[in-house]
Amino acid sequence: GSELLLQSCSLLDNTNSSGLAGAIDSDGVLGESAPALTLDDCTVSRNYGGRTGGVLLVDGDASIVDSLFEDNEGGSAGGALNMTGGGEAHFEDSTVTGSAAPVGGAFAVYKGCLLRLTDSAVTNSTSTTVWNGGAALRLDVARLVCSSSGGDHGIWGGSGGAGLIAVSGGAGGNG
């Protein structure tokens, strides 16, 4: 399959009010798999996606390494990342902070997807949906794996929604 690799880059102040994702929309076309997406040492900041995924809509795999996601917003779900249709996103040594969306302030992860956070921090995210928002994360028939070698890593400091993490449909936790 194809691959999209972005290294030492900045994706800043992008708006896609009527579209899906503010900065990157990685999606399969005509039955093909989405390209594998890699962000290495990138800053993704102040982006807005009007419907889903303030920053990324990934129907496939993504690797985010040594990157900063800051103050991104989704108009519907997933301020930093919205995942659907399977695939895995792996955040390693990265920080996601100040994200906002009605559902899943930082992440909205659906339908068989896996979100993996390794030595990463998710902080100060906001969801505006009272019943099923998840200030930091919305998991719906999806899995989350968190691991840390120590230090200030984890998920904390969210507000709004149904709590820090909202789960439905048999989603998983650490492991």
Side-chain angles (χ1 to χ4, degrees), residues 33-111:
S33 296
L37 174 65
T38 301
L39 296 176
D40 185 359
D41 188 32
C42 293
T43 298
V44 182
S45 183
R46 300 179 308 274
N47 298 289
Y48 176 80
R51 286 189 274 163
T52 60
V55 176
L56 302 171
L57 173 69
V58 178
D59 286 337
D61 295 331
S63 176
I64 293 90
V65 180
D66 294 320
S67 294
L68 171 65
F69 282 55
E70 183 176 41
D71 298 329
N72 295 290
E73 184 177 354
S76 178
L81 173 69
N82 181 305
M83 292 182 68
T84 61
E88 178 177 331
H90 185 189
F91 282 74
E92 183 175 350
D93 296 318
S94 296
T95 299
V96 177
T97 188
S99 299
V103 174
F107 303 112
V109 184
Y110 300 102
K111 300 177 186 142

Side-chain angles (χ1 to χ4, degrees), residues 17-44:
S17 295
S18 62
L20 295 176
I24 298 173
D25 183 345
S26 178
D27 196 353
V29 178
L30 300 175
E32 297 293 321
S33 296
L37 174 65
T38 301
L39 296 176
D40 185 359
D41 188 32
C42 293
T43 298
V44 182

